[in-house]
Amino acid sequence: MSRPLKVAVAGLGTVGGGTVKLLQANAALLAERTGRPVVITAVADRDRRDRGLSLDTYRWFDDAVAMASDADADVVVELIGGAGGVALKVCEAAIAAGRHVVTANKALIAHHGMALAAAAEAKGLTLGYEAAVAGGIPIIKSLREGLVGNHARRVYGILNGTCNYILTQMRETGREFATVLAEAQALGYAEADPSFDVDGIDTAHKLAILASVAFGCTLDFDAVHIEGIRHVAAVDIAFAQELGYRIKLLGIATQTEAGIERRVHPCMVRLDTPIAQVDGVFNAVVIDGDFVDRVVHEGRGAGERPTASAVVADIADIARGRNVPTFGVPVATLHAAPAAPMSEHRGAFYVRLMVLDRPGVFADIAAILRDHDVSMEAVLQRGRAPGEPVPVVMTTHDTAEAAMVHSLVKIGELGSSAEPPRMIRIEPF
Amino acid sequence: MSRPLKVAVAGLGTVGGGTVKLLQANAALLAERTGRPVVITAVADRDRRDRGLSLDTYRWFDDAVAMASDADADVVVELIGGAGGVALKVCEAAIAAGRHVVTANKALIAHHGMALAAAAEAKGLTLGYEAAVAGGIPIIKSLREGLVGNHARRVYGILNGTCNYILTQMRETGREFATVLAEAQALGYAEADPSFDVDGIDTAHKLAILASVAFGCTLDFDAVHIEGIRHVAAVDIAFAQELGYRIKLLGIATQTEAGIERRVHPCMVRLDTPIAQVDGVFNAVVIDGDFVDRVVHEGRGAGERPTASAVVADIADIARGRNVPTFGVPVATLHAAPAAPMSEHRGAFYVRLMVLDRPGVFADIAAILRDHDVSMEAVLQRGRAPGEPVPVVMTTHDTAEAAMVHSLVKIGELGSSAEPPRMIRIEPF
């Protein structure tokens, strides 16, 4: 059997602990499958508290950057987190010292992935980040290798378990976002500061990475249009159900004539699509390729053990000496595809107005939509309470985003709406 | 850019034609992603009819075995089909000549995969068969690489699109198996001789392969318990719906204390499971690993273009110089796990009797079940027509397979059933 692969783990939080556990528990299996022992030689964390892990035989570093430089390791696993700071320094130090890097850090890859990949590539090193997108689902491998023969037409998915949990709970209980968020926080399913999750930023990190791999384009986080789920109301979820849809926060990257469209926002998806059925904390990613057509991957998108599974897949590839360019092709050949602006997006829309029941309001609204070439498919109105705002819901046929947005501004200016008009895009999957 | 990878394609049927089309249409993409041109140098087929393909620049062989020996090729792609015969000779000749082999042939791998893998391994060659299981879904890659850190607990799936199409049509139209099969044959979704599909043999080929990769055990087709879908009646599908289930033909491999259980038969799965929602010709494979938990893959399990996608994934791995042992570990280290006998299976059951409405019949049936320790969960009876047999359906709690089978024999012997009792296993996914 070949020389052991030596691994240093930076960060002993949830995922770090899971990775140590997996490498210990399934050591014999990994040795059999990779043809060599995979052994931890060092760990780093600022906090030396007891974690219930057997760490005695590893060299301990309080300073993860020092470990990345100095440890006796072939691979440094960065599980500290954060879009820059120590995590970035650990990766840079590891590459400078000639070590492969494996990380679960989507923010880091979304912001610094290009530079890190170029540095790793220049030295013939691997920068693995399977765990950064959709947790345990081996989606990076499927995209880069399993579906390598396909031009991707579209990649989309449920990439944030917290949002999917909240939306699922809202549907099942009929409660509002704020209530369900508070519960999720109490249960540990949402962070004290939930912004990264519920405002769509975490999803956008992952989508930016997926888009780069799928389309061979430069990784451009700023090109992602981002909306979160704070404005999704219980009444929207009820109407969605009535119209035959589910509301999901999706990240969607599409090749269009105007360039690559990258967007994160709540979507209505038909009930009979695979993605509509993915509930709770589960993630799902759909790849639509020109030969393979639609392939759906579903699994746990976070958590100690599933994320460790993905981290170890990258380590095993390194152990086997298997290397694939970080984003599917060498960094220098990633093309700077134009970002298709959101204003040029076209699609169907769900629009909800809270209308004060005054004569003539609907005629005014209809005139605005007509003037903007927005063609209505259906109108639903529930209840009628004189003096109280009632929800009026419309769905449109295929419409230009810019026209829809302008219409909603004009409708808002009518003064007949008790709150700003709300819009959710309907996806034609 | 490196030396081109030269590919020879044996068999220009549906998948062969699709593979040629993909390698032509996406040649630039593949060169970019693999770092070298992937070029076809030779093709072989007994029939020189025009297929609408541009084949002029390739050397033509009428004899695929001669091509495997003599062509100027690094890789021979076997797309002839059949469990032995020419397909086997092509693979053997290619390996003997030092060429990598890629095949979509599940029957061949199920019966001769171990010997071919050993021969390829001895020469450091790849034997790729991603396309042999679940068509375009990159499931072999997910199992061998993406989920490499996991001990598989269970692998199961819908592995035959023809059966899934028939069962879906039966549910949607309420018609019987024979009628729907005839329609599927007319539409080209089922073969003139449908036995390989509807009797579960094709599913068993794929399951035998999946089990070997998932559990690192020797590939043993004869260890698979096989039942097809001919006995599934429209009334069963209606009862399943009423009980909250869908009927699917599944291949299931499970690690049990008695060994590895490998079985193919119609199953009832709860409506809210991902696999229940997979309809029509789609395939789905679920991997349940000790760290990753449940990962579901869904996509097209057959067809020219999806299967070509999988064939080309194997070719790309060869182009990149990436090699993984055929069944996840070297052939010599695959362990000969005992096959858990079906008689030792335990699970819940759906049982349907067509009972002649005579006094005392039910007491007799209940006594037999009691004597065999079969505990009933529910009993359903629909309709009542004196002198006519009426369906009586029972579901059981967790029961030993052997006890269930013996009970049904005894119930059949009562003479109060108008046809043999039917049983469908209920899976607790």
Side-chain angles (χ1 to χ4, degrees):
Chain A
M1 187 160 282
S2 314
R3 192 177 74 77
L5 183 82
K6 296 175 190 168
V7 177
V9 179
L12 293 175
T14 303
V15 180
T19 300
V20 170
K21 283 180 198 162
L22 199 168
L23 290 175
Q24 291 176 343
N26 290 355
L29 182 78
L30 272 170
E32 194 177 51
R33 289 181 174 172
T34 65
R36 58 196 287 201
V38 176
V39 296
I40 301 173
T41 53
V43 293
D45 202 290
R46 287 177 308 186
D47 179 355
R48 291 199 180 225
R49 73 184 161 81
D50 181 17
R51 296 168 167 84
L53 298 168
S54 306
L55 306 170
D56 297 347
T57 59
Y58 314 145
R59 185 169 166 199
W60 185 289
F61 288 84
D62 295 309
D63 178 348
V65 181
M67 181 183 76
S69 295
D70 302 339
D72 177 22
D74 305 299
V75 185
V76 172
V77 183
E78 184 282 300
L79 301 171
I80 295 166
V86 178
L88 178 59
K89 288 199 183 81
V90 165
C91 296
E92 289 171 339
I95 293 167
R99 311 186 205 285
H100 303 284
V101 171
V102 172
T103 178
N105 188 333
K106 43 260 179 186
L108 180 74
I109 296 294
H111 290 287
H112 302 284
M114 296 271 292
L116 289 172
E121 215 173 79
K123 295 198 163 199
L125 299 169
T126 293
L127 171 62
Y129 57 96
E130 181 65 80
V133 182
I137 304 172
I139 193 67
I140 301 299
K141 186 169 280 285
S142 277
L143 258 181
R144 281 197 311 201
E145 304 174 38
L147 305 174
V148 63
N150 292 267
H151 280 284
R153 292 186 291 220
R154 187 163 52 190
V155 179
Y156 59 97
I158 297 170
L159 299 170
N160 183 279
T162 303
C163 288
N164 206 45
Y165 173 82
I166 290 172
L167 291 170
T168 302
Q169 283 289 308
M170 287 176 70
R171 188 184 83 238
E172 289 180 351
T173 65
R175 290 202 286 257
E176 292 292 353
F177 171 80
T179 313
V180 173
L181 172 61
E183 283 174 4
Q185 287 171 317
L187 290 165
Y189 292 164
E191 305 280 339
D193 176 359
S195 174
F196 255 49
D197 291 320
V198 303
D199 293 330
I201 299 160
D202 176 75
T203 300
H205 286 148
K206 295 163 179 168
L207 182 73
I209 299 169
L210 282 177
S212 180
V213 179
F215 300 111
C217 62
T218 51
L219 205 171
D220 186 358
F221 176 72
D222 295 332
V224 184
H225 172 89
I226 312 175
E227 300 170 27
I229 62 168
R230 290 186 196 265
H231 287 309
V232 177
V235 63
D236 297 322
I237 289 180
F239 274 114
Q241 181 84 12
E242 189 171 340
L243 291 161
Y245 295 108
R246 288 271 158 87
I247 299 178
K248 296 290 178 190
L249 181 73
L250 299 186
I252 304 174
T254 314
Q255 180 83 61
T256 73
E257 285 181 17
I260 295 172
E261 197 179 83
R262 279 157 277 199
R263 50 196 171 95
V264 172
H265 52 72
C267 299
M268 292 211 181
V269 290
R270 279 211 331 273
L271 265 175
D272 62 354
T273 56
I275 210 147
Q277 308 291 336
V278 177
D279 277 337
V281 297
F282 280 88
N283 280 199
V285 184
V286 181
I287 301 167
D288 185 352
D290 61 348
F291 272 78
V292 78
D293 203 62
R294 187 190 77 191
V295 179
V296 185
H297 298 65
E298 192 211 311
R300 294 191 179 275
E304 173 184 316
R305 293 168 68 93
T307 310
S309 168
V311 166
V312 170
D314 280 340
I315 295 174
D317 267 355
I318 294 167
R320 282 164 162 168
R322 308 178 89 237
N323 193 0
V324 170
T326 310
F327 301 111
V329 297
V331 173
T333 63
L334 290 168
H335 55 90
M342 200 60 197
S343 56
E344 294 193 18
H345 173 69
R346 288 190 68 86
F349 292 85
Y350 157 98
V351 174
R352 174 175 53 86
L353 313 172
M354 297 304 288
V355 176
L356 300 166
D357 195 18
R358 293 189 310 213
V361 165
F362 208 77
D364 294 343
I365 293 169
I368 289 171
L369 294 174
R370 178 202 61 210
D371 294 348
H372 287 82
D373 257 346
V374 176
S375 151
M376 276 187 285
E377 186 195 51
V379 179
L380 289 177
Q381 185 171 342
R382 285 282 158 276
R384 201 186 165 89
E388 295 272 304
V390 291
V392 173
V393 159
M394 295 172 288
T395 57
T396 75
H397 291 291
D398 205 38
T399 295
E401 169 101 6
M404 192 74 245
V405 170
H406 291 156
S407 304
L408 295 185
V409 170
K410 291 287 181 197
I411 289 170
E413 288 169 0
L414 286 178
S416 51
S417 249
E419 57 179 81
R422 297 293 176 201
M423 164 268 272
I424 298 176
R425 296 172 192 87
I426 300 173
E427 297 299 324
F429 300 141
Chain B
M1 187 160 283
S2 314
R3 192 177 73 78
L5 183 82
K6 296 175 189 167
V7 177
V9 179
L12 294 174
T14 303
V15 180
T19 300
V20 169
K21 283 180 199 164
L22 197 169
L23 289 174
Q24 291 176 344
N26 291 355
L29 181 79
L30 271 171
E32 196 177 50
R33 290 180 173 172
T34 64
R36 58 195 287 201
V38 176
V39 297
I40 300 174
T41 53
V43 294
D45 202 290
R46 286 178 308 185
D47 179 355
R48 290 198 180 225
R49 72 186 162 80
D50 182 16
R51 296 168 167 84
L53 297 169
S54 305
L55 305 170
D56 296 349
T57 59
Y58 313 144
R59 184 169 168 201
W60 185 288
F61 287 83
D62 295 309
D63 178 348
V65 181
M67 182 184 78
S69 294
D70 302 339
D72 177 23
D74 305 298
V75 185
V76 172
V77 183
E78 185 283 301
L79 301 171
I80 295 166
V86 178
L88 177 60
K89 288 199 182 81
V90 165
C91 296
E92 289 171 340
I95 293 167
R99 309 183 207 287
H100 303 284
V101 170
V102 172
T103 180
N105 189 334
K106 43 261 180 185
L108 180 73
I109 295 294
H111 289 287
H112 301 284
M114 295 272 292
L116 289 172
E121 213 173 82
K123 294 198 164 201
L125 299 169
T126 293
L127 170 63
Y129 57 95
E130 181 65 81
V133 181
I137 304 172
I139 193 67
I140 300 299
K141 186 169 280 286
S142 278
L143 258 181
R144 280 198 311 201
E145 303 174 38
L147 305 175
V148 63
N150 293 267
H151 280 285
R153 292 185 290 221
R154 185 163 54 189
V155 179
Y156 60 97
I158 297 171
L159 299 170
N160 182 280
T162 302
C163 287
N164 206 45
Y165 172 82
I166 290 172
L167 292 171
T168 302
Q169 283 289 308
M170 287 176 71
R171 187 184 83 238
E172 290 180 351
T173 65
R175 290 201 287 258
E176 291 292 352
F177 171 81
T179 313
V180 173
L181 171 62
E183 282 174 6
Q185 286 171 317
L187 290 165
Y189 293 164
E191 305 280 340
D193 176 359
S195 173
F196 255 48
D197 292 319
V198 303
D199 293 331
I201 299 159
D202 177 75
T203 299
H205 285 148
K206 295 163 179 168
L207 181 73
I209 298 169
L210 282 177
S212 179
V213 179
F215 299 112
C217 62
T218 51
L219 205 172
D220 186 358
F221 177 71
D222 295 332
V224 184
H225 173 89
I226 311 175
E227 300 171 28
I229 62 168
R230 290 186 197 264
H231 287 309
V232 177
V235 64
D236 297 321
I237 289 180
F239 274 113
Q241 181 84 12
E242 189 171 339
L243 291 162
Y245 295 108
R246 287 272 158 86
I247 299 178
K248 297 289 179 189
L249 181 73
L250 298 186
I252 304 173
T254 313
Q255 180 82 63
T256 73
E257 284 181 19
I260 295 173
E261 196 180 84
R262 278 157 278 200
R263 51 196 171 97
V264 171
H265 52 70
C267 298
M268 292 212 182
V269 290
R270 280 209 330 272
L271 265 175
D272 63 354
T273 55
I275 211 147
Q277 307 292 334
V278 177
D279 277 338
V281 297
F282 281 87
N283 282 19
V285 184
V286 181
I287 301 167
D288 184 351
D290 61 348
F291 273 78
V292 79
D293 202 61
R294 186 190 78 192
V295 179
V296 186
H297 298 65
E298 191 212 312
R300 294 190 179 276
E304 173 184 315
R305 293 169 67 93
T307 310
S309 169
V311 167
V312 170
D314 280 339
I315 295 173
D317 267 355
I318 293 167
R320 282 164 161 168
R322 309 177 88 240
N323 193 0
V324 170
T326 310
F327 301 110
V329 296
V331 173
T333 62
L334 290 168
H335 55 91
M342 200 60 196
S343 56
E344 293 194 17
H345 173 69
R346 288 191 68 86
F349 293 85
Y350 158 98
V351 174
R352 173 175 55 84
L353 313 172
M354 299 303 288
V355 175
L356 299 167
D357 196 17
R358 292 189 312 211
V361 165
F362 209 79
D364 294 343
I365 293 169
I368 290 171
L369 294 174
R370 179 202 60 210
D371 293 348
H372 287 82
D373 256 343
V374 176
S375 148
M376 276 188 287
E377 185 195 51
V379 180
L380 287 177
Q381 184 171 344
R382 287 281 159 276
R384 199 185 167 90
E388 294 271 303
V390 291
V392 172
V393 158
M394 296 172 288
T395 57
T396 75
H397 291 292
D398 205 38
T399 295
E401 169 101 7
M404 191 74 245
V405 170
H406 291 156
S407 303
L408 295 184
V409 170
K410 290 288 180 197
I411 290 170
E413 288 170 0
L414 285 178
S416 51
S417 248
E419 55 180 83
R422 296 295 176 200
M423 164 269 271
I424 298 176
R425 296 172 191 86
I426 299 172
E427 296 300 325
F429 300 142

